[in-house]
Amino acid sequence: MTGRFTRLRGRRTDSGARAAEAPVWRRLPALPKLLIVTQFAFNVGFFAVLPFLAEHLGTAIGMAGWLVGFVLGLRTFSQQGLFVVGGWLVDRYGVRPLVLTGCVLRIAGFGWLGYADTTAAVIGAVLLIGFAAALFSPAVESEAARQAVRWEEAGHGPRTRVLALFSAAGQAGAFIGPLLGGLLLLADFRTACLCGAGVFVLVLAGHARLMPRHTPGREAAGGTGPAADGGQDGADGGAVRVLLRDRRFLALACAYGSYLLAYNQLYLALPDEVERATGSQAALAWLFALSSLLVVCAQLPVSRRVGERLDLRRSMAAGLLLVAAGFAVVAVARPAGWTGPAALLPAAVFVVLLTVGQMLIVPAARAWVPDFAGPARLGLYTGWLSSVSGLLVLVGSSATGALLHAGLPPAVPWLVLAALPVLAVPLLPRRRPAAS
């Protein structure tokens, strides 16, 4: 009898182990799946339009170069800079209203942009497009983190696996979006805008039907049990004061900002290096595609292996050091002054190391935020992480641009950029806090 029980228990254990090894997607509840598909769709719709905006403004609208840059900067500010506002609103009103409202504004913004033919109309449209993302992105990102924590607490595996799937879905959308936009531009820019709006119509319809009105895992401020989405604690000034006193979380935000500043060099330092090496920027598209495909294909395996070996701090530290190594590779190669296709090899190594670093840093940072925020302030903390990082990128990019064109020895700017992620490692908190 004992032997029979042992065999039965063994079969059950084996069955549980096999279930734990099943693909994460198959084991996820409906809500996290909806959030992951949403992230994919958001990026498809966004990147079908925005990569082509600068050329449209300069050619079809006839804007001066400085004005094009100003308009693009306004869009970034209205999105990234206002994430903290969106997060604050998520904690007060919940995920569903913010996502639905953001989708409506994004649809209106893309439609307006497709028909805008004056500077004032373009500025109004891009501000609306950016503010829409400041509403729905913190809602989706904070809820994805919340559901990933619930997944971990239920014993299904590390929360980073869910957030890695979320990141991979976003990168897949960022890869497919420009391809779709390029095809739509064979008609005209207006067609691309209207099709981008159409993607958000589908997201709006899906969320109106599938997003629950009472989101599982959300608690009232008092922590007495499930409540309608959000609580007052996350929405009042006390929550902001708590956040501003949380030096460890602010240090984490600064460390994450150093990563985003490094990642932003894909659009600033890398184009300069590619043009120096080959005489044009034609190879940039291939390097961007390499980055996106790496995340799509390797994010889940990397997160699975790293999650078994490293905690969140060590994962972020390893990612920052890989990013620094990518800059160092170019710094070592630059004094040689190589040109031609072979000279792209250091740039390709830089892209690979930066992307692998991203695969370690982003899921770990998102997974760490709930430990600082607690259930009632997760939206605020998620938004603050993005807004602080965006501000650091804004300031740092200006300094980087000056550094790259200051006439210094060719290795110096890349060595300075390599030092920044290294200096960010000591900022990472030494231990995970108990959720507040």
Short mmCIF file of all heavy atoms in Angstrom, two decimals, residues 11-34:
data_model
loop_
_atom_site.label_atom_id
_atom_site.label_comp_id
_atom_site.label_asym_id
_atom_site.label_seq_id
_atom_site.Cartn_x
_atom_site.Cartn_y
_atom_site.Cartn_z
N ARG A 11 3.96 10.15 -9.47
CA ARG A 11 3.35 10.53 -10.75
C ARG A 11 2.78 11.93 -10.68
O ARG A 11 2.87 12.71 -11.61
CB ARG A 11 2.25 9.52 -11.13
CG ARG A 11 2.79 8.20 -11.65
CD ARG A 11 1.71 7.44 -12.38
NE ARG A 11 0.61 7.05 -11.51
CZ ARG A 11 0.56 5.90 -10.81
NH1 ARG A 11 1.58 5.05 -10.87
NH2 ARG A 11 -0.48 5.61 -10.05
N ARG A 12 2.17 12.28 -9.52
CA ARG A 12 1.62 13.62 -9.38
C ARG A 12 2.73 14.66 -9.38
O ARG A 12 2.59 15.75 -9.96
CB ARG A 12 0.81 13.72 -8.08
CG ARG A 12 -0.51 12.97 -8.16
CD ARG A 12 -1.25 13.02 -6.84
NE ARG A 12 -2.54 12.37 -6.94
CZ ARG A 12 -3.32 12.11 -5.89
NH1 ARG A 12 -2.92 12.45 -4.68
NH2 ARG A 12 -4.49 11.52 -6.05
N THR A 13 3.85 14.37 -8.71
CA THR A 13 4.97 15.30 -8.69
C THR A 13 5.53 15.50 -10.08
O THR A 13 5.82 16.62 -10.51
CB THR A 13 6.08 14.78 -7.75
OG1 THR A 13 5.53 14.62 -6.46
CG2 THR A 13 7.24 15.75 -7.69
N ASP A 14 5.68 14.39 -10.84
CA ASP A 14 6.17 14.50 -12.20
C ASP A 14 5.23 15.33 -13.05
O ASP A 14 5.65 16.15 -13.86
CB ASP A 14 6.33 13.11 -12.83
CG ASP A 14 7.46 12.34 -12.16
OD1 ASP A 14 8.28 12.98 -11.48
OD2 ASP A 14 7.49 11.09 -12.31
N SER A 15 3.91 15.11 -12.84
CA SER A 15 2.92 15.89 -13.61
C SER A 15 3.02 17.37 -13.28
O SER A 15 2.98 18.23 -14.17
CB SER A 15 1.51 15.37 -13.30
OG SER A 15 0.55 16.17 -13.94
N GLY A 16 3.21 17.69 -11.98
CA GLY A 16 3.35 19.09 -11.60
C GLY A 16 4.60 19.71 -12.17
O GLY A 16 4.62 20.86 -12.60
N ALA A 17 5.70 18.94 -12.19
CA ALA A 17 6.95 19.46 -12.75
C ALA A 17 6.80 19.73 -14.23
O ALA A 17 7.28 20.73 -14.75
CB ALA A 17 8.07 18.45 -12.50
N ARG A 18 6.11 18.79 -14.94
CA ARG A 18 5.91 19.02 -16.37
C ARG A 18 5.06 20.25 -16.60
O ARG A 18 5.30 21.03 -17.52
CB ARG A 18 5.25 17.79 -17.00
CG ARG A 18 6.19 16.62 -17.20
CD ARG A 18 5.59 15.60 -18.13
NE ARG A 18 4.35 15.03 -17.60
CZ ARG A 18 4.32 13.95 -16.81
NH1 ARG A 18 5.43 13.34 -16.45
NH2 ARG A 18 3.16 13.48 -16.37
N ALA A 19 4.03 20.46 -15.75
CA ALA A 19 3.20 21.66 -15.89
C ALA A 19 4.01 22.92 -15.67
O ALA A 19 3.85 23.93 -16.37
CB ALA A 19 2.03 21.62 -14.91
N ALA A 20 4.94 22.87 -14.69
CA ALA A 20 5.77 24.04 -14.41
C ALA A 20 6.70 24.36 -15.56
O ALA A 20 7.12 25.50 -15.73
CB ALA A 20 6.57 23.83 -13.12
N GLU A 21 7.07 23.32 -16.34
CA GLU A 21 7.98 23.55 -17.46
C GLU A 21 7.24 23.88 -18.74
O GLU A 21 7.87 24.13 -19.76
CB GLU A 21 8.85 22.29 -17.67
CG GLU A 21 9.87 22.08 -16.56
CD GLU A 21 10.82 23.26 -16.41
OE1 GLU A 21 11.27 23.79 -17.44
OE2 GLU A 21 11.07 23.67 -15.27
N ALA A 22 5.92 23.82 -18.73
CA ALA A 22 5.15 24.17 -19.92
C ALA A 22 5.39 25.64 -20.25
O ALA A 22 5.74 26.44 -19.38
CB ALA A 22 3.67 23.92 -19.67
N PRO A 23 5.22 26.03 -21.52
CA PRO A 23 5.42 27.43 -21.89
C PRO A 23 4.59 28.36 -21.02
O PRO A 23 3.43 28.06 -20.69
CB PRO A 23 4.96 27.47 -23.35
CG PRO A 23 5.19 26.07 -23.86
CD PRO A 23 4.89 25.18 -22.68
N VAL A 24 5.20 29.48 -20.64
CA VAL A 24 4.53 30.42 -19.75
C VAL A 24 3.19 30.88 -20.34
O VAL A 24 2.19 30.96 -19.63
CB VAL A 24 5.45 31.64 -19.50
CG1 VAL A 24 4.71 32.71 -18.72
CG2 VAL A 24 6.70 31.21 -18.75
N TRP A 25 3.17 31.13 -21.64
CA TRP A 25 1.95 31.66 -22.26
C TRP A 25 0.76 30.74 -22.04
O TRP A 25 -0.34 31.20 -21.74
CB TRP A 25 2.18 31.88 -23.76
CG TRP A 25 0.95 32.30 -24.49
CD1 TRP A 25 0.11 31.51 -25.23
CD2 TRP A 25 0.38 33.61 -24.54
NE1 TRP A 25 -0.93 32.25 -25.73
CE2 TRP A 25 -0.78 33.53 -25.32
CE3 TRP A 25 0.76 34.84 -23.98
CZ2 TRP A 25 -1.58 34.64 -25.58
CZ3 TRP A 25 -0.04 35.95 -24.23
CH2 TRP A 25 -1.19 35.85 -25.02
N ARG A 26 0.97 29.42 -22.16
CA ARG A 26 -0.14 28.47 -22.04
C ARG A 26 -0.69 28.44 -20.63
O ARG A 26 -1.87 28.12 -20.42
CB ARG A 26 0.33 27.06 -22.43
CG ARG A 26 0.48 26.90 -23.91
CD ARG A 26 0.45 25.47 -24.38
NE ARG A 26 0.93 24.50 -23.41
CZ ARG A 26 1.72 23.49 -23.72
NH1 ARG A 26 2.18 23.36 -24.95
NH2 ARG A 26 2.10 22.63 -22.80
N ARG A 27 0.14 28.76 -19.64
CA ARG A 27 -0.30 28.66 -18.24
C ARG A 27 -0.82 29.97 -17.68
O ARG A 27 -1.31 30.00 -16.55
CB ARG A 27 0.88 28.16 -17.39
CG ARG A 27 1.33 26.75 -17.74
CD ARG A 27 2.44 26.27 -16.81
NE ARG A 27 3.70 26.92 -17.08
CZ ARG A 27 4.49 27.45 -16.16
NH1 ARG A 27 4.13 27.47 -14.91
NH2 ARG A 27 5.64 28.00 -16.50
N LEU A 28 -0.73 31.05 -18.44
CA LEU A 28 -1.16 32.35 -17.93
C LEU A 28 -2.68 32.46 -17.89
O LEU A 28 -3.37 31.96 -18.79
CB LEU A 28 -0.61 33.47 -18.81
CG LEU A 28 0.85 33.87 -18.63
CD1 LEU A 28 1.23 34.93 -19.66
CD2 LEU A 28 1.10 34.40 -17.21
N PRO A 29 -3.22 33.16 -16.88
CA PRO A 29 -4.65 33.49 -16.89
C PRO A 29 -4.98 34.47 -18.02
O PRO A 29 -4.10 35.02 -18.69
CB PRO A 29 -4.87 34.14 -15.52
CG PRO A 29 -3.70 33.73 -14.69
CD PRO A 29 -2.55 33.56 -15.64
N ALA A 30 -6.26 34.71 -18.20
CA ALA A 30 -6.72 35.53 -19.34
C ALA A 30 -6.23 36.97 -19.26
O ALA A 30 -5.85 37.56 -20.28
CB ALA A 30 -8.25 35.50 -19.42
N LEU A 31 -6.21 37.57 -18.05
CA LEU A 31 -5.86 38.98 -17.94
C LEU A 31 -4.40 39.25 -18.34
O LEU A 31 -4.15 40.16 -19.13
CB LEU A 31 -6.15 39.51 -16.54
CG LEU A 31 -5.80 40.98 -16.29
CD1 LEU A 31 -6.48 41.89 -17.30
CD2 LEU A 31 -6.16 41.39 -14.87
N PRO A 32 -3.42 38.52 -17.81
CA PRO A 32 -2.05 38.77 -18.29
C PRO A 32 -1.89 38.55 -19.79
O PRO A 32 -1.14 39.28 -20.45
CB PRO A 32 -1.22 37.76 -17.49
CG PRO A 32 -2.01 37.47 -16.28
CD PRO A 32 -3.44 37.55 -16.71
N LYS A 33 -2.60 37.57 -20.35
CA LYS A 33 -2.53 37.37 -21.80
C LYS A 33 -3.06 38.60 -22.53
O LYS A 33 -2.48 39.05 -23.54
CB LYS A 33 -3.34 36.15 -22.21
CG LYS A 33 -2.69 34.83 -21.86
CD LYS A 33 -3.53 33.66 -22.36
CE LYS A 33 -2.85 32.32 -22.10
NZ LYS A 33 -3.66 31.17 -22.55
N LEU A 34 -4.16 39.17 -22.04
CA LEU A 34 -4.71 40.38 -22.66
C LEU A 34 -3.71 41.52 -22.60
O LEU A 34 -3.53 42.26 -23.58
CB LEU A 34 -6.01 40.77 -21.94
CG LEU A 34 -6.67 42.08 -22.40
CD1 LEU A 34 -7.12 41.99 -23.85
CD2 LEU A 34 -7.86 42.43 -21.50
#
